[in-house]
Amino acid sequence: MNIPLDNLYNWIRGLAQHPVILYVFRPHGSKDIFDLDQLDRSGNEMDLKPCVIPNIVCHDQEPLDYASHAWDHNLERISAWYSTTSTGRGLGKCDPITGRKMLFFYINDSTLSQGLTYLGINHWDCDWIILLHSEINSDDVEKLSHEKFLPVYYWCHAVLAKDWYRFAEHDVRLHQKNIKKTFLVYCRDWTPIREYRLKFLDLLLAANLLDDCKISTQHTNSQGVHLKDYQIQDPRFVVDTARLLSIHDNNAPSTASADYDADDFVSTAVSVVLETVVDSKIHLTEKTLRAIACGHGFVLMAGPESLAYLRRYGFRTFGTVFDESYDAEKDTVKRLEKVIATMQQIKNLSESDWQEINEIAAHNRSRFFSEDFANQVRDELTHNLAPAVAFCMNNRGHLWWESRKMAKKHGLGNLISHDLKTKKTIMDLRKQRLSRNCSGPFITE
């Protein structure tokens, strides 16, 4: 299934209200830093003077992981390393006019020479890069904000989900309820970042809830490891593997995230959503919004305070009907146990309770498909992106001054003498250089 995510990024480029260069992961959904590529190498922004174009790295689909990528772009360190070799390593070439290496991203990797690898970012103007992300309460965002990144938050998966599930607004099948099981549980992968899901299934079996659930899971994860051979990496999530193998292996394809199965939703009453990230940060995806779009009540296993996050966007949750105290629990295993306890409570709800659940679910579905929700997500992105773009336009750091000196040396001063928006004199820029905040601003959530 082809998911045209380039349309999303072209939409974002239009909202920037200024020419920008976007870098995205290809294939989409990758977290491999070597898959980072320019969105459109033939766009009009490339015809402009290179010194006026802010760069945006779009890491908005998957959660950030500072520890594994060790992103940085310290010019001095890279220049020092590059001076020791005639060709360098990586994906780019020297500029044919100035001779400068215009690639400055790297990852820490002890298996590579000097531990540095260049990545293809064409960067003249500013010492900071805009980092587009979709997570709240994130230590990773905080760390990257001190590495000359300008973090800009927006709810990426809200935009994607409104596209992927748009037909659910008009799908008459979703109104033909035939409840056979109380709970719908998608537990399709349990790679290391998601292995808490194995613990959830283990607790579910121990609580004798299996017969109340329609479960989609798999015995072999996306990395090709069978459950009987899998070694739990997090000791908090040790499970009875033999017991888990009693659950039927009936996994759906990986593209199922961009679709919905109407029969799953009309034959069950409540979705138990197992999000990708469940420890400290909030990174809600299409998993949560699919349940909302299809008119389901839900119990949400995600980062702490995720229900409050949803309410911020005008959705209602179900605390007036069943216990949602799990959402405030900081300890992941205890939160899992509280989710199981809430499921046991839901089994015994009254008819009036179910009526209230359905009323709340109907409100949420209406809110999801509303123009107000779409506008809120768009306006939030515009509001957060504007100061980051303005900062890049109005601040010149070490890279700009080095580029300016190099261009003047080669008689190319006209390339950097002005920019399209600001009319600052060289004296203004020199004052700015002396007073600039080297860590850059932190773009708030």
Side-chain angles (χ1 to χ4, degrees):
M1 180 178 182
N2 181 34
I3 303 172
L5 291 180
D6 280 4
N7 292 341
L8 166 67
Y9 295 119
N10 280 298
W11 174 71
I12 291 171
R13 182 161 56 183
L15 291 180
Q17 301 177 14
H18 188 281
V20 293
I21 300 176
L22 269 67
Y23 293 87
V24 301
F25 286 90
R26 291 196 172 102
H28 293 301
S30 171
K31 293 174 62 176
D32 187 341
I33 200 167
F34 287 102
D35 289 336
L36 198 61
D37 190 25
Q38 192 171 303
L39 173 64
D40 182 3
R41 296 184 180 278
S42 60
N44 291 334
E45 75 276 3
M46 297 308 293
D47 297 329
L48 300 171
K49 298 176 184 179
C51 64
V52 300
I53 308 174
N55 292 278
I56 301 176
V57 170
C58 301
H59 200 309
D60 48 355
Q61 294 178 52
E62 298 294 326
L64 293 162
D65 189 346
Y66 179 88
S68 66
H69 286 191
W71 284 16
D72 197 357
H73 60 280
N74 185 300
L75 181 69
E76 288 75 17
R77 271 183 289 191
I78 293 179
S79 297
W81 169 74
Y82 183 68
S83 66
T84 66
T85 178
S86 59
T87 59
R89 297 181 59 147
L91 308 176
K93 299 178 180 179
C94 294
D95 181 90
I97 298 176
T98 66
R100 292 192 65 208
K101 188 77 170 180
M102 296 175 64
L103 310 177
F104 64 94
F105 266 87
Y106 72 88
I107 56 172
N108 237 339
D109 189 339
S110 59
T111 65
L112 300 172
S113 174
Q114 302 295 318
L116 302 179
T117 297
Y118 285 103
L119 297 177
I121 301 289
N122 180 349
H123 184 65
W124 287 56
D125 180 41
C126 183
D127 281 2
W128 297 276
I129 288 288
I130 296 170
L131 178 64
L132 206 60
H133 69 93
S134 288
E135 51 196 67
I136 302 293
N137 300 338
S138 171
D139 289 340
D140 294 301
V141 169
E142 175 69 19
K143 290 174 182 176
L144 286 164
S145 72
H146 296 294
E147 298 288 355
K148 300 267 181 105
F149 283 92
L150 304 180
V152 171
Y153 163 82
Y154 84 112
W155 194 2
C156 168
H157 290 87
V159 182
L160 294 177
K162 282 186 70 67
D163 179 32
W164 292 350
Y165 309 137
R166 62 190 181 277
F167 294 115
E169 183 178 11
H170 311 287
D171 193 338
V172 296
R173 297 174 300 168
L174 293 172
H175 302 288
Q176 299 167 358
K177 295 290 186 180
N178 182 23
I179 306 297
K180 299 177 182 177
K181 302 278 188 178
T182 304
F183 304 107
L184 175 61
V185 181
Y186 289 142
C187 187
R188 290 168 174 163
D189 199 11
W190 37 267
T191 47
I193 191 176
R194 302 171 177 89
E195 68 179 11
Y196 84 89
R197 293 176 178 172
L198 297 177
K199 185 66 174 180
F200 169 81
L201 292 177
D202 197 49
L203 292 170
L204 184 145
L205 288 169
N208 295 316
L209 286 168
L210 181 62
D211 291 340
D212 300 291
C213 301
K214 183 173 186 177
I215 299 178
S216 178
T217 189
Q218 59 185 10
H219 292 174
T220 301
N221 68 20
S222 60
Q223 296 178 344
V225 181
H226 195 277
L227 183 56
K228 61 182 173 54
D229 301 317
Y230 183 70
Q231 299 296 316
I232 296 291
Q233 298 190 15
D234 190 327
R236 296 178 299 169
F237 305 139
V238 172
V239 297
D240 184 339
T241 301
R243 182 162 62 181
L244 292 185
L245 287 170
S246 67
I247 301 176
H248 181 58
D249 186 352
N250 61 347
N251 185 56
S254 59
T255 55
S257 292
D259 201 356
Y260 65 91
D261 186 322
D263 182 66
D264 284 350
F265 287 94
V266 299
S267 63
T268 56
V270 172
S271 288
V272 180
V273 180
L274 304 178
E275 273 291 359
T276 301
V277 176
V278 298
D279 281 332
S280 59
K281 70 173 68 171
I282 298 173
H283 183 263
L284 296 190
T285 70
E286 79 288 338
K287 301 174 186 66
T288 299
L289 292 169
R290 175 170 48 200
I292 289 174
C294 292
H296 248 205
F298 57 85
V299 177
L300 179 57
M301 183 60 198
E305 308 299 336
S306 289
L307 295 181
Y309 174 90
L310 284 173
R311 291 191 289 268
R312 161 177 147 180
Y313 288 94
F315 297 108
R316 295 171 58 191
T317 61
F318 303 88
T320 57
V321 186
F322 53 76
D323 184 13
E324 291 184 333
S325 64
Y326 64 84
D327 187 54
E329 177 57 59
K330 305 297 185 183
D331 183 273
T332 301
V333 174
K334 290 180 180 179
R335 195 174 334 118
L336 283 167
E337 292 169 345
K338 287 190 171 186
V339 164
I340 294 294
T342 294
M343 292 174 68
Q344 291 173 317
Q345 179 191 3
I346 291 173
K347 281 179 55 180
N348 300 310
L349 293 178
S350 67
E351 184 176 344
S352 61
D353 289 332
W354 283 111
Q355 182 176 352
E356 184 173 354
I357 288 174
N358 292 333
E359 289 172 356
I360 295 172
H363 163 84
N364 289 340
R365 185 169 180 270
S366 176
R367 174 65 182 170
F368 175 79
F369 289 114
S370 70
E371 186 175 351
D372 284 346
F373 176 53
N375 290 342
Q376 181 181 358
V377 173
R378 180 203 61 203
D379 293 347
E380 184 174 47
L381 170 57
T382 303
H383 177 268
N384 290 346
L385 184 58
V389 171
F391 181 87
C392 289
M393 291 303 306
N394 296 325
N395 288 271
R396 301 293 182 264
H398 183 73
L399 285 175
W400 186 86
W401 285 94
E402 289 297 311
S403 298
R404 181 174 178 274
K405 287 190 291 185
M406 184 66 70
K408 288 182 66 176
K409 178 179 177 181
H410 290 272
L412 302 172
N414 62 306
L415 287 178
I416 57 165
S417 57
H418 298 285
D419 93 20
L420 297 180
K421 296 293 184 183
T422 60
K423 302 296 183 182
K424 290 184 177 295
T425 65
I426 293 299
M427 183 174 295
D428 291 332
L429 290 171
R430 285 174 177 159
K431 291 179 180 178
Q432 187 183 87
R433 182 187 184 193
L434 295 174
S435 63
R436 71 181 186 276
N437 177 359
C438 293
S439 64
F442 183 77
I443 306 304
T444 57
E445 298 161 358

